[in-house]
């Protein structure tokens, strides 16, 4: 404490030497008084050399100044300690920051290196992709200088990489192409198309090179004025496309136009001047299937090539020839004046086809069934004309093949009739419209009915009774004969199961049915279903079964024989009869065709044929049945010739099952002394059972 006069009144820590000491002359005291006793800062003492810091405060009501000081070192000790701590922390933070910066820099360097590597890798991949493109690639800037060029472009035109490189101007590049012979034309005019900034943004053009290649050029301008161009060699693609188009319109085997191109050409003729006459000829090669089946498809294909060549030689310069498929060809004969022009062409065709030609060591001559339609007489549009030619061709085939027919409207009526017949057949099959009639077969020695032949009948609700000769061929062509034949077999077996045990039932089997490998299984199923003894079933086949594929047919026949079924050869003596069939398979019965029986009393050759057949059959223990016996004279003659059975109107026409049962099938009587015979010839069909024309026999010990 210091009085205002400068005397030290008291001190802490206590120091007696300083109490009473006057400091009025000191600079610090004078400065304190000057500011009314309020001051702070550094203080120095004359007596104590150390520096101090402190503050002076003047009391308000007393003439006393309070002076508080401390050594500078003591005052700054905490600050210095804090400063050292902060400096250490700052140093540590700086070290951490430096380490972090180092780590960040190192990571950035790594990322940069990885990015550079990835960019380099991508650049390599891009270069690889660009240089392995199938198209040539060019990229130009807005000044026409080359930026990118791939290897494909250089190889495509045989250019030098020393010339075609980035910085090369378009004109220099095209001139270089001109020097190498891959460009012909005006260089400046060509370049102007690309350098003109007003040219279209996208161009797709086809150009040709002097060496005959076709190049597709696609040009696309970028927003900055530059452009990219791709060039692709489409020579092979164009050739492949041409080949594909050729294959789409031409037959691969004969190189003739196909059905599509033929119809297109015909439509073109129809669209030309009205009243223009031309002929369409549909040609079906006869017996081609036999060549294919016996000699193989290789010979068959060569045969078709030979046929195609001969047809080419036959037509005129304005005529159009095509292969429709298989063994069917067609010719458009243009500019005809009359039917005589068509007759002349047909004559040339037959002459060419019938001339033998060599085919891999085989000598062939061919023939054909030809259908002809004349435009516009036979149709106003292509569909009608083609249909007319097709109908005429089928008419030629139905007439025995090896001939030709012009379209006649009656052919269409017959075709419509056949379609209606097919539809009615399907309906009859679904609705049970068929029925079976049975014609007895009589033993000529005992006059006993030993069997009945099941004959299919169709009672049409509108047409009445339809002849089997009309509907059976249609059923065979459409495949319905399979289902119809199964119905006949099941129905006949079920009916025969109700007859006396010594009476057989005979069922005709179509050649179409014989193609089925499961025929024997179907027959076994019908027998099992009806309970009929297999020995009472007799299947009648024609020689057509054996002609089609005798090995397969004989296998099926042996399977049926193994079931215990009897096999009869029907209509023997007609068609392609061969004694070899009788040798290869032991038939149980031979049925002599009615054509021989009809002439047996008037024609000695018919009798000789029957006698020969009977002799062969007897030698092999076969039954011989004479079909179509209508008179007593025929009966006596065939019996004298050795036939064992007869079948015909003399005894009975075919009758429904109920009338056969009512007449007592199998109850014929043996003739004895005092026998009286009465025979009545009926027209086809049956009335009441009592009116059936059985051979009536009276015995003195029996009733009629």
């Amino acid at each position: 404490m210091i009085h205002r006069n400068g005397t030290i009144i008291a001190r802490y820590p206590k120091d007696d030497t300083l109490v009473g000491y006057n400091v009025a002359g000191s600079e610090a005291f004078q400065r304190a008084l000057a500011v009314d006793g309020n001051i702070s800062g550094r203080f120095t003492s004359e007596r104590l050399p150390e520096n101090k810091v402190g503050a002076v405060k003047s009391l308000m009501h007393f003439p006393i100044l309070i002076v508080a000081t401390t050594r500078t070192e003591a005052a700054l000790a905490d600050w210095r300690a804090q400063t050292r701590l902060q400096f250490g922390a700052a140093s540590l933070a700086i070290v951490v920051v430096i380490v972090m910066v180092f780590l960040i820099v190192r990571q950035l360097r790594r990322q940069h290196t990885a990015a550079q590597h990835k960019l380099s890798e991508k650049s390599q991949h891009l270069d690889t992709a660009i240089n392995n493109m199938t198209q040539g690639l060019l990229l130009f800037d807005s000044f026409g200088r080359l930026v990118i060029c791939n290897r494909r472009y250089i190889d495509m035109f045989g250019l030098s990489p020393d010339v075609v490189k980035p910085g090369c101007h378009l004109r220099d590049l095209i001139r270089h192409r001109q020097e190498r012979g891959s460009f012909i034309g005006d260089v400046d005019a060509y370049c102007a198309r690309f350098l003109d900034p007003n040219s279209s943004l996208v161009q797709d053009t086809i150009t040709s090179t002097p060496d005959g290649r076709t190049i597709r050029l696609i040009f696309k301008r970028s927003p900055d004025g530059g452009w990219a161009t791709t060039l692709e060699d489409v020579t092979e693609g164009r050739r492949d496309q041409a080949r594909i188009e050729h294959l789409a319109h031409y037959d691969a085997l004969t190189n003739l136009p196909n059905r599509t191109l033929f119809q297109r050409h015909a439509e073109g003729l129809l669209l030309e001047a009205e009243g223009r006459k031309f002929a369409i000829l549909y040609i079906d090669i006869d017996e081609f299937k036999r060549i294919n089946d016996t000699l193989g498809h290789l010979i068959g294909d060569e045969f078709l090539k030979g046929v195609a060549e001969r047809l080419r030689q036959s037509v005129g310069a304005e005529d159009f020839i095509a292969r429709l498929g298989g063994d069917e060809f067609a010719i458009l004969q243009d500019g005809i004046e009359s039917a005589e022009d068509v007759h002349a062409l047909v004559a040339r065709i037959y002459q060419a086809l019938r001339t033998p030609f060599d085919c891999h060591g085989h000598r062939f001559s061919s023939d054909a069934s030809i259908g002809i339609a004349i435009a516009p007489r036979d149709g106003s549009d292509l569909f009608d004309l083609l249909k007319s030619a097709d109908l005429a061709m089928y008419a030629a085939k139905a007439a025995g093949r090896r001939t030709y027919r012009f379209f006649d409207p009656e052919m269409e009526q017959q075709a419509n009739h056949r379609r209606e017949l097919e539809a009615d057949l399907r309906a009859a099959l679904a609705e049970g419209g068929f029925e079976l009639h049975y014609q007895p077969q009589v033993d000529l020695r005992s006059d006993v009915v030993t069997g009945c032949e099941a004959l299919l009948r169709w009672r049409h609700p509108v047409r009445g009774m339809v002849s089997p000769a009309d509907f059976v061929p249609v059923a065979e062509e459409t495949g319905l004969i399979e289902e119809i034949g199964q119905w006949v077999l099941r129905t006949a077996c079920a009916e025969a199961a109700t007859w006396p045990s010594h009476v057989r039932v005979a069922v005709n089997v179509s050649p179409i049915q014989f193609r089925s490998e499961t025929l024997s299984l179907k027959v076994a199923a019908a027998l099992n279903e009806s309970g009929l003894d297999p020995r009472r079933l007799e299947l009648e086949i024609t020689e057509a079964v054996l002609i089609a594929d005798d090995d397969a047919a004989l296998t099926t026949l042996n399977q049926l024989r193994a079931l215990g079924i009897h096999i009869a050869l029907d209509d023997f003596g007609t068609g392609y009869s061969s004694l070899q069939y009788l040798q290869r398979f032991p038939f149980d019965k031979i049925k002599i065709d009615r054509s021989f029986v009809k002439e047996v009393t008037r024609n000695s050759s018919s009798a000789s044929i029957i006698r020969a057949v009977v002799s062969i059959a007897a030698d092999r223990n076969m039954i011989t049945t004479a079909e179509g016996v209508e008179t007593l004279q025929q009966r006596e003659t065939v019996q004298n010739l050795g036939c064992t059975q007869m079948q015909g109107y003399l005894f009975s026409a075919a009758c429904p099952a109920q009338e056969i049962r009512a007449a007592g099938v199998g109850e014929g009587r043996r003739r004895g002394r005092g026998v009286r015979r009465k025979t009545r010839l009926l027209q086809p069909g049956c009335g009441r059972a009592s009116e059936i024309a059985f051979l009536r026999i009276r015995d003195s010990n029996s009733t009629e």
Side-chain angles (χ1 to χ4, degrees), residues 74-210:
L76 296 177
D78 291 340
W79 174 79
R80 284 174 176 165
Q82 186 177 6
T83 299
R84 285 193 297 270
L85 179 63
Q86 291 177 346
F87 180 76
S91 299
L92 180 62
I94 290 171
V95 171
V96 171
V97 169
I98 291 173
V99 171
M100 292 297 295
V101 169
F102 172 76
L103 293 176
I104 290 172
V105 170
R106 188 175 69 173
Q107 182 65 23
L108 288 175
R109 284 182 176 176
R110 287 179 179 175
Q111 291 178 351
H112 177 70
T113 302
Q116 287 285 74
H117 177 72
K118 193 171 183 179
L119 182 62
S120 175
E121 190 178 50
K122 286 185 176 180
S123 178
Q124 290 177 358
H125 291 166
L126 182 61
D127 289 342
T128 302
I130 289 175
N131 288 313
N132 285 278
M133 290 173 59
T134 57
Q135 299 95 352
L137 174 65
L138 297 173
L139 183 63
F140 291 89
D141 62 16
S142 58
F143 299 101
R145 291 189 296 266
L146 185 64
V147 178
I148 293 176
C149 173
N150 68 350
R151 187 71 195 178
R152 174 60 179 155
Y153 179 80
I154 293 174
D155 294 341
M156 186 181 293
F157 298 107
L159 306 179
S160 171
D162 297 331
V163 176
V164 184
K165 58 185 179 180
C168 172
H169 196 273
L170 175 63
R171 288 190 180 88
D172 298 330
L173 188 151
I174 300 302
R175 287 193 185 98
H176 181 55
R177 277 188 55 188
Q178 192 176 49
E179 293 169 0
R180 291 298 177 97
S182 64
F183 178 83
I184 296 176
D186 189 334
V187 174
D188 292 333
Y190 181 81
C191 294
R193 294 169 47 197
F194 301 95
L195 296 172
D196 182 6
N198 297 320
S199 63
S200 58
L201 296 177
V202 178
Q203 295 180 23
D204 189 340
T205 58
I206 298 294
T207 61
S208 298
T209 61

Side-chain angles (χ1 to χ4, degrees), residues 302-331:
E302 290 300 318
F303 172 77
L304 287 176
K305 290 180 183 178
V307 169
E309 184 57 35
R310 272 145 187 76
L311 291 177
R312 283 193 189 97
Q313 298 169 3
S314 305
V315 298
E318 296 182 355
D319 299 336
F320 189 89
I321 178 173
R323 182 188 178 203
L324 304 182
D327 59 348
E328 291 189 8
F329 296 83
I331 295 175

Side-chain angles (χ1 to χ4, degrees), residues 340-379:
E340 292 303 319
D341 296 332
V342 183
H343 285 292
L345 174 59
V346 170
R348 293 197 302 271
I349 291 172
Y350 278 126
Q351 182 179 1
L353 291 178
R354 291 166 182 170
T355 301
F357 62 93
D358 184 77
C359 181
H360 285 303
H362 299 274
R363 292 286 290 175
F364 287 121
S365 62
S366 183
D367 225 311
S369 302
I370 303 176
I372 305 165
I374 306 294
R377 183 191 69 188
D378 297 329

Side-chain angles (χ1 to χ4, degrees), residues 342-449:
V342 183
H343 285 292
L345 174 59
V346 170
R348 293 197 302 271
I349 291 172
Y350 278 126
Q351 182 179 1
L353 291 178
R354 291 166 182 170
T355 301
F357 62 93
D358 184 77
C359 181
H360 285 303
H362 299 274
R363 292 286 290 175
F364 287 121
S365 62
S366 183
D367 225 311
S369 302
I370 303 176
I372 305 165
I374 306 294
R377 183 191 69 188
D378 297 329
S380 57
D381 57 28
L382 181 61
F383 176 79
D384 290 338
L385 283 172
L386 296 181
K387 182 181 70 173
S388 299
D390 201 37
L391 289 172
M393 182 188 71
Y394 278 103
K397 291 170 68 174
R401 300 178 181 272
R402 306 177 187 277
T403 187
Y404 64 98
R405 290 288 184 271
F406 283 85
F407 173 74
D408 188 293
E410 187 178 344
M411 296 176 183
E412 186 170 11
Q413 297 174 6
Q414 293 173 353
N416 293 335
H417 172 74
R418 184 192 174 283
R419 282 193 295 270
E420 293 173 1
L421 197 62
E422 179 183 346
D424 291 344
L425 269 176
R426 295 183 185 276
L429 189 57
E431 299 168 4
F434 295 110
E435 53 188 77
L436 284 184
H437 288 193
Y438 300 88
Q439 187 172 34
Q441 297 171 344
V442 182
D443 188 290
L444 288 171
R445 293 165 297 186
S446 62
D447 291 325
V448 173
V449 175

Side-chain angles (χ1 to χ4, degrees), residues 421 433 435 457-467 471:
L421 197 62
E435 53 188 77
R457 296 292 183 264
W458 179 21
R459 196 181 303 275
H460 193 278
V462 177
R463 297 188 179 97
M465 292 298 289
V466 182
S467 171
F471 71 82

